[in-house]
Amino acid sequence: MTLIPMSWSRVLSPLLQPLRWLVRRRWLREAEVDAVLAWLQPGWRLNRVFARVEGREWVAEDMLALRLRCNGNARGWRAGQHVQLYLQLDGVRHSRSYSLTHVGRAGRIELAIRRQPGGRLSNRLLDHLPVGALLELGQAQGELCWPQESTGVVLLAAGSGITPLLGLLREALARGFTAPISLLHYIREQGQRPFVEELQQLMQRHPNLSVRWALTGQVQSDAELQGRFSAEHLQGLALDSVLACGPAGFVETVAQHWRGPLQVEAFTAPERSVEPGSAVRLGFARTRRQVTGDSARSLLEQAEAAGLRPAHGCRQGICASCTCTLLSGTVRDLRNGALFAEPGQLIRLCISAPASDVDIDL
C-alpha cells in the first residue's frame, strides 16, 4: 500500500531535518524512523537513497540503459560519477558500482549496465528487473570532471568505460562547450557500440564533436580504427586534455603515452603479482574468528577465504563499500605500499593487506 506518491516524498524530504537531528544525537533510531516512512511510501527513507525504475532501454547488444527516479536523498549528484547499487539475491545482499550517464531534475537519473559473462548482479538486472521495481543506491562518488577551459578534449573509453564519459559529454555539449572533442571508443564487436544513434545525432548537431569506434575483436574493413589503443590513434587530434576510462590495463597504457592533463578511472583492479608473503594472525572481532593468513593477499580475499561475507563493491578501493575499522596491527596499501597502524582508522579491505598480526572490526 502506498499512502503518498514518490514525488511527495521528495518535496517533503527537507521537513525531515528535525528527525535527522534527533537521530544524529541518538534520541531516535534511524531504523524505526525509516520503518514509518516506508509505510507511508516504500521509497522514502531518512537518509538512504531509494529509486524507482521508470524505464529500460537496450542501447547495445550487451548494454541496458536504466532510468530511475530517486527519493530526496540523492543530492548534489553529477553525471560521470558512480553509485553503488544494492540488491538481495537468494538471501545475500549484493552490490555493484555503475556510472551515472545522466542526472536530471526531480531525482531522475540514468545508469548504463553491461552484461558480464557470469555476472550475477548485472545479468539479473538486465534480464529480470521490471519497470516499477524499487532499488537501493549508495551516494554518488567519483572525481572525473569536464575540463571546461581546455582547447581540445579527447575521451578514450574501453568497453563500459564509455558510460561516465558519455555523461560528461552530454552535459558539456548541453552547456555549449565549443572546443574540439574527440571520442574514441574501443569495443570488441560492431554490435557493442552503445548509444550509437545518439552519438551520431550529437555529431550532426555539434560540428566540434567527432566519434570513432575501434574494433578489438573483429576485423572489418570499414572500421575507422582497428585494434587496441596505441599512441598512433591520437595523431591528428586537437589534443589538450585527455579523459580515459576502462580496464586498468587500458588506462595504464593511455598514461604511458600521454603526459599532458589526464584524468583516468579504471573499473578493474590493476594486475599484481602475489608473493607468498609471511604468515600472520587475522582477528575478526565481530565474528570472533581467528585464522592464519598471509601478508600478501588483501584482507577482503582472506576474509572471504575464511568463510566471511564482508560487504564489497568494486574490489579496487574506489567505492569504499568494504570500509572497515582497524582495531590493532599494521596494514599495507597494496597500491602504493603505504603502511597504516592507527587503531580506529578506517581501511578498505580490498586494497589492504596485513603487514603484521591484525584485528579488524568484521
Side-chain angles (χ1 to χ4, degrees), residues 142-145 156 164-165 242-248 250-256 258 261-267 318:
E143 303 301 326
L144 287 179
C145 61
L156 301 173
L165 300 185
V242 173
L243 284 77
C245 186
F250 173 76
V251 298
E252 289 173 1
T253 302
V254 172
Q256 291 170 2
W258 171 246
L262 173 65
Q263 298 180 57
V264 300
E265 187 170 279
F267 53 73
I318 295 177

Side-chain angles (χ1 to χ4, degrees), residues 95-114:
S95 72
R96 201 176 191 290
S97 182
Y98 299 106
S99 295
L100 293 163
T101 53
H102 176 71
V103 176
R105 296 180 177 178
R108 288 189 168 88
I109 62 170
E110 180 187 83
L111 307 175
I113 301 172
R114 187 184 184 194

Side-chain angles (χ1 to χ4, degrees), residues 271-284:
E271 293 185 5
R272 55 182 173 85
S273 58
V274 178
E275 302 296 334
S278 56
V280 296
R281 180 190 58 80
L282 305 180
F284 304 111

Side-chain angles (χ1 to χ4, degrees), residues 282-291 308 359-362:
L282 305 180
F284 304 111
R286 291 192 187 183
T287 50
R288 300 180 181 179
R289 296 280 305 277
Q290 301 276 338
V291 301
L308 304 182
D359 292 286
I360 58 177
D361 187 23
L362 182 67

